[in-house]
Amino acid sequence: MSHFKLNLDLAMPRYPVRAARDVSLLTLDRRTTLKWFGAAMLAAKVELASPASKLVSISARQGYGGDPDLQHPSVPWPRTLSKEQLLIVAGLCDVLLPDDGRSPAASAVGVHEFVDEWVSAPYQEQQQDRAIILRGIDWVERQTALRSSQPFHRAPREFQVELFDRLIEQQKAGESKSEMATFLPRLRYIAIGAYYTTEAGIADLGHIGNQPMAGDYPGPTPQALEHVQQALRRLGLSL
Amino acid sequence: MNEPGRNARSTADVFDVAVVGSGAGGGMAAYVLTRAGMRVLVLEAGRDYDPVKETPMFTTARSAPLRGSSTSDKPFGYFDATVNGGWEIPGEPYTVAEGSKFQWWRARMLGGRTNHWGRFSFRFGADDFRPYSRDGMGVDWPIGYDDVAAYYDKVESLIGVFGSNEPIANQSASSPGVLLPPPAPRAYELFVKAGCTSLGIPCVPMHAAVLTRPLNNRPACFYATGCERGCAIGANFQSTTVLLPPARATGKLTIRTHAMVYEVTLDPSGRASGVRYVDTVTGKHEHVRARAVVLAASACESARILLNSTSATFPQGLANSSGQVGRNLTDSTGVGVLAQFPALEGRPAYNEEGTSLPHLYIPWWLHEQQKAGKLDFPRGYHIEFDGGRTHQPEMFMGVFGSLVGDVHGAALKERMRATYGSFVSFAARGEMVPSADCYCDIDPQVKDRWGIPVLRFHWKWSDHERRQARHFTATMRKLVDRLGGKIVAAPADDDPDAGLSMGGEIIHEVGTTRMGAKPRDSVVNGFGQSWDVPNLYVMDGGVFASNPDKNATLTILTLAWRSADHLVDQFKRKAL
């Protein structure tokens, strides 16, 4: 149970985690952490030692403790990103998750503010991410200054996307070749997790639930059942 | 006495029974003993806890710090029911011997770990009580399935367990009418079941302690809010909603919270006279007297109490003439695989949350082949699988976002929509063989914040467990392949431990005060009664003589009920 950690959320979906109480994939979590996110931890250690990044130690701050009020959740730590840093994060999140006509852009549902909450948190994983994210923001700021007369958030969308593509290239180059290799994977994880836990994101996924039901749980609708039957038929299987 | 069920502090009182712990074992002891008319004091190390008032029903991840992510303060996530617990508790350390890996999950709250547990509830099979006779390893239990079958029925009827009786080797059937009907399988569960069927692997209704029908004045599940948060309406089993309220209603129960027991005291005749504890609020050391003592503090904590209860008569710890206290520590094995199934993409939406637990599972299906020596590992495992759209989106969506390719923008959103509900995780839970390498003892140096010596854990998996883990992973590769899926996370091929969890990580630790037929090699008899101190009982998982793949809690409840009946009977006969 489990069920854990360097960071379960990072490594595995929530369900193995739930399973972990009784269904954990703990060891797997750890190993996949390394596999999927390319030694982000190691990178974080290196970057924490770097004088270049605008790191402010927040380790002295307190978390919410072992017995927080679950009925009235609140975030006890203050956010720490500057306005300029937030604008860059918002711009990057909107390249990742733009308004596509079906659901709003990331910044419209506060994803950049959640990134701020995340990197300002006093826990070890978030502090490691803080080093990675702040360094990435620095990089974007510097690259923008070199190539554009506008700040990143005001630069044309083509420019933003091009810079984003360069980050993807650095991710693919891997850690041995690029200091920025871990930035995009971590920003993706935080931003996508944040987006699809908003009402708009949940609606976009088509998730239905969190409503009390009277009587027996009905199981799949006829349409959902038919979909599975067709899928099985294509595999030469049947219910 | 003060208000029944609350924190009376009349230490001059002599209770009939002092029960240490309020979880599965302690809650059941309190339930049975008070209903038999005995005056019971339950001592709980944590705080009072009321699921009715405290459970965050319907709350979504968005309202929680870090979207409810796991942190060192709440390792299973913000909304997990556990209070002041987890793998580490400030001021209450444990140590792990060099070369060992072990984690110990504790909760500091009324009801203990029953508040957040997984609720999977499998009876042991007849062969599970005679593992030594089957494969020559470990020991047999001093009791058999027939000794406990009626108690399993009683427990299932009290707590409410859904499931079905299936004709599978070494699976025990509940009496007719005992099990509640299982909930309908979800679409992705039917999909997996079809793959299993084609490979000759059974995939059957889960057994879990969730009400699918009203029971004993508790309403049925309304199929929203994850069980790990606890349940404000009492539709799943928690000691705090099912056992302690009726025990309180007898007027015979006193509960003392913030009472960290560290020693069982003896009278001059060598019988238990009570327990000593630290009041964790005031820091004061207190003594309470009782005519009998029940330890149900969890397998490892109860062993710690015994090992710390040293005296001239018992220099190596109380009830430990066999030297077995702390030995034979086992946990379930755990291995996991995560798969994505293109065939499940673009499924029509419907409410897939259900009970929040799996509605189907894969029981151990090769018992006979294993018994016949056809497998290269001696003990079995079952598979719990979970996924689809069962859970409210949480930060795991970020992981999915990492698994759908390097796309961004509108293309990323399209992939997120298409793949949502197509991921399924599979987790093995298996039986390990008790080993001389796995035990706990008292650390010679380290003490907790109250000066109580702490446990030191020793742990090493053997090839039995590694081979079992590899069998699981290989089986999953076949299953996922048959269903046209791809495995996106699995144990690395070169992992020397084959992807096995850390010791203790599955939180099924048992065996540290095992029962047996002879005082020479066991701590308690078949009723959980200490061989050395007859008015001392153990009623937690410590008494298990083996740790079958069938998760421990249902059997802890069952054995505790049987032991408590024995204790009542002993009192009636004036044998104590």
Side-chain angles (χ1 to χ4, degrees):
Chain A
M1 176 307 221
S2 9
H3 181 229
F4 273 165
K5 288 256 342 176
L6 299 179
N7 174 10
L8 289 178
D9 289 321
L10 171 146
M12 291 299 290
R14 182 73 173 133
Y15 12 95
V17 175
R18 286 171 190 268
R21 236 71 87 211
D22 239 352
V23 187
S24 120
L25 301 184
L26 303 176
T27 306
L28 178 63
D29 292 342
R30 245 173 240 106
R31 286 171 187 140
T32 48
T33 298
L34 296 175
K35 190 171 159 190
W36 296 350
F37 296 98
M41 301 302 168
L42 181 64
K45 277 182 201 150
V46 173
E47 303 201 21
L48 279 165
S50 161
S53 60
K54 297 174 190 168
L55 269 183
V56 180
S57 171
I58 50 176
S59 57
R61 293 211 184 99
Q62 293 296 307
Y64 47 67
D67 191 11
D69 183 348
L70 303 189
Q71 302 279 9
H72 307 96
S74 63
V75 180
W77 55 89
R79 294 181 188 171
T80 57
L81 293 186
S82 70
K83 194 179 161 198
E84 292 71 28
Q85 288 171 322
L86 264 177
L87 287 169
I88 289 173
V89 171
L92 290 168
C93 289
D94 284 353
V95 175
L96 187 66
L97 296 158
D99 182 339
D100 65 345
R102 286 186 62 173
S103 54
S107 65
V109 291
V111 167
H112 56 301
E113 287 157 4
F114 179 74
V115 174
D116 193 1
E117 175 185 322
W118 186 277
V119 300
S120 305
Y123 300 103
Q124 187 185 13
E125 177 198 341
Q126 282 72 26
Q127 291 212 37
Q128 287 170 338
D129 281 342
R130 178 180 180 79
I132 295 168
I133 300 295
L134 290 189
R135 195 177 178 95
I137 294 170
D138 276 358
W139 183 90
V140 171
E141 209 169 15
R142 276 185 277 115
Q143 292 297 316
T144 306
L146 285 174
R147 293 150 185 254
S148 166
S149 56
Q150 306 261 37
F152 181 76
H153 70 278
R154 287 219 198 99
R157 175 52 68 111
E158 296 72 33
F159 177 86
Q160 294 177 341
V161 172
E162 191 199 316
L163 211 60
F164 199 92
D165 286 338
R166 287 192 56 211
L167 283 168
I168 293 177
E169 283 165 25
Q170 304 212 28
Q171 179 188 340
K172 286 180 178 163
E175 206 174 337
S176 60
K177 299 208 172 122
S178 168
E179 284 184 324
M180 294 308 301
T182 53
F183 172 60
L184 202 53
R186 292 311 296 156
L187 184 68
R188 272 183 82 105
Y189 167 73
I190 301 164
I192 293 173
Y195 186 82
Y196 287 104
T197 45
T198 62
E199 279 177 33
I202 292 171
D204 189 6
L205 294 171
H207 181 92
I208 300 173
N210 206 31
Q211 294 293 323
M213 285 183 175
D216 285 343
Y217 172 67
T221 56
Q223 294 85 346
L225 207 54
E226 176 57 27
H227 182 274
V228 167
Q229 280 168 331
Q230 283 181 16
L232 287 170
R233 268 199 292 277
R234 283 193 290 274
L235 292 163
L237 298 169
S238 60
L239 286 181
Chain B
M1 209 189 307
N2 297 351
E3 180 197 352
R6 290 295 162 182
N7 294 329
R9 289 191 179 271
S10 44
T11 44
D13 251 349
V14 180
F15 292 89
D16 289 329
V17 185
V19 176
V20 183
S22 61
M28 181 59 86
Y31 174 81
V32 175
L33 296 172
T34 54
R35 286 162 57 91
M38 305 183 81
R39 292 183 59 244
V40 174
L41 172 67
V42 165
L43 297 124
E44 164 54 49
R47 73 160 168 87
D48 195 7
Y49 172 71
D50 182 0
V52 176
K53 293 182 187 145
E54 299 192 48
T55 311
M57 307 296 281
F58 304 112
T59 324
T60 60
R62 192 182 189 184
S63 65
L66 306 174
R67 299 290 207 258
S69 291
S70 164
T71 66
S72 53
D73 282 332
K74 297 279 288 189
F76 284 175
Y78 187 83
F79 289 123
D80 176 66
T82 303
V83 169
N84 290 322
W87 299 120
E88 308 287 341
I89 299 179
E92 299 181 32
Y94 54 89
T95 64
V96 179
E98 201 179 334
S100 291
K101 285 182 187 168
F102 191 88
Q103 282 194 302
W104 187 20
W105 184 275
R106 292 168 290 177
R108 290 289 176 253
M109 64 197 300
L110 194 66
R113 299 184 290 189
T114 67
N115 294 302
H116 89 140
W117 71 303
R119 272 92 185 170
F120 302 142
S121 302
F122 311 112
R123 291 183 180 210
F124 288 3
D127 276 355
D128 291 324
F129 290 93
R130 43 190 188 229
Y132 176 80
S133 298
R134 192 176 80 218
D135 59 27
M137 284 181 268
V139 293
D140 285 344
W141 293 59
I143 56 176
Y145 180 71
D146 291 345
D147 295 311
V148 296
Y151 281 98
Y152 272 127
D153 277 346
K154 285 162 68 160
V155 169
E156 289 174 346
S157 300
L158 172 67
I159 71 173
V161 174
F162 73 70
S164 66
N165 292 323
E166 301 289 334
I168 294 165
N170 199 34
Q171 300 282 317
S172 298
S174 304
S175 292
V178 169
L179 291 174
L180 302 172
R186 306 171 177 96
Y188 72 88
E189 292 176 318
L190 293 168
F191 176 77
V192 170
K193 181 184 165 96
C196 288
T197 303
S198 78
L199 297 175
I201 297 171
C203 182
V204 300
M206 175 56 84
H207 287 233
V210 176
L211 301 187
T212 54
R213 291 284 183 281
L215 182 75
N216 306 328
N217 296 317
R218 294 157 52 209
C221 179
F222 54 43
Y223 307 107
T225 300
C227 281
E228 78 287 348
R229 298 182 179 195
C231 188
I233 64 167
N236 63 29
F237 171 74
Q238 294 171 256
S239 175
T240 35
T241 51
V242 180
L243 299 176
L244 296 177
R248 277 174 163 148
T250 63
K252 298 285 185 181
L253 177 65
T254 301
I255 294 175
R256 205 163 287 176
T257 52
H258 299 291
M260 170 76 74
V261 173
Y262 60 90
E263 184 184 0
V264 178
T265 56
L266 297 179
D267 67 17
S269 69
R271 294 156 54 87
S273 60
V275 297
R276 266 193 247 282
Y277 65 93
V278 179
D279 181 318
T280 61
V281 176
T282 65
K284 282 188 183 163
H285 290 244
E286 310 267 5
H287 181 244
V288 66
R289 292 187 292 154
R291 294 163 63 206
V293 171
V294 170
L295 293 182
S298 83
C300 297
E301 196 68 56
S302 291
R304 179 188 178 204
I305 292 167
L306 291 174
L307 291 170
N308 277 330
S309 301
T310 52
S311 60
T313 323
F314 298 104
Q316 58 173 352
L318 192 61
N320 194 23
S321 61
S322 64
Q324 295 296 314
V325 174
R327 297 274 152 181
N328 315 302
L329 173 61
T330 55
D331 186 20
S332 296
T333 58
V335 201
V337 157
L338 179 67
Q340 195 266 333
F341 296 96
L344 292 178
E345 291 185 15
R347 288 195 286 138
Y350 71 98
N351 187 334
E352 200 157 87
E353 292 186 359
T355 63
S356 85
L357 307 177
H359 292 177
L360 299 179
Y361 85 113
I362 299 168
W364 176 230
W365 70 100
L366 296 171
H367 183 71
E368 294 302 340
Q369 289 88 329
Q370 192 168 50
K371 217 169 163 179
K374 291 178 181 166
L375 301 179
D376 68 353
F377 56 100
R379 305 283 169 90
Y381 62 89
H382 70 262
I383 300 168
E384 300 162 6
F385 64 99
D386 191 1
R389 297 165 179 169
T390 297
H391 305 291
Q392 282 277 307
E394 295 181 14
M395 283 302 284
F396 61 72
M397 294 308 302
V399 176
F400 293 164
S402 306
L403 294 172
V404 298
D406 286 329
V407 290
H408 58 81
L412 170 64
K413 284 185 157 183
E414 195 44 51
R415 284 301 292 153
M416 293 301 290
R417 266 172 223 130
T419 57
Y420 184 61
S422 67
F423 290 90
V424 182
S425 76
F426 298 85
R429 290 290 172 270
E431 177 173 1
M432 67 176 278
V433 178
S435 155
D437 292 328
C438 301
Y439 61 99
C440 57
D441 57 9
I442 297 294
D443 189 288
Q445 266 110 37
V446 181
K447 293 179 178 171
D448 69 13
R449 62 194 290 198
W450 299 286
I452 309 166
V454 309
L455 284 179
R456 176 176 61 182
F457 291 96
H458 307 256
W459 195 269
K460 213 180 279 179
W461 293 117
S462 77
D463 282 341
H464 302 312
E465 291 80 40
R466 292 185 197 101
R467 290 193 194 113
Q468 181 197 69
R470 289 193 189 101
H471 185 274
F472 161 76
T473 304
T475 304
M476 288 306 95
R477 288 194 191 286
K478 280 182 214 158
L479 177 64
V480 172
D481 185 58
R482 184 66 192 87
L483 289 165
K486 59 186 176 213
I487 288 179
V488 292
D493 291 338
D494 59 353
D495 181 348
D497 267 345
L500 283 166
S501 50
M502 207 182 282
E505 233 170 346
I506 307 304
I507 321 181
H508 294 166
E509 66 281 2
V510 304
T512 45
T513 54
R514 78 176 176 197
M515 61 166 64
K518 299 188 198 92
R520 186 164 39 84
D521 62 4
S522 58
V523 179
V524 297
N525 66 19
F527 291 102
Q529 181 183 27
S530 160
W531 291 112
D532 298 345
V533 185
N535 66 337
L536 171 65
Y537 284 68
V538 182
M539 296 195 194
D540 55 33
V543 302
F544 283 32
S546 69
N547 194 355
D549 72 275
K550 292 126 179 157
N551 310 18
T553 301
L554 183 74
T555 301
I556 292 173
L557 289 163
T558 300
L559 295 178
W561 194 328
R562 184 169 178 270
S563 291
D565 274 357
H566 184 264
L567 175 53
V568 170
D569 187 56
Q570 295 291 297
F571 267 120
K572 279 186 186 156
R573 293 164 188 261
K574 303 198 186 302
L576 291 181

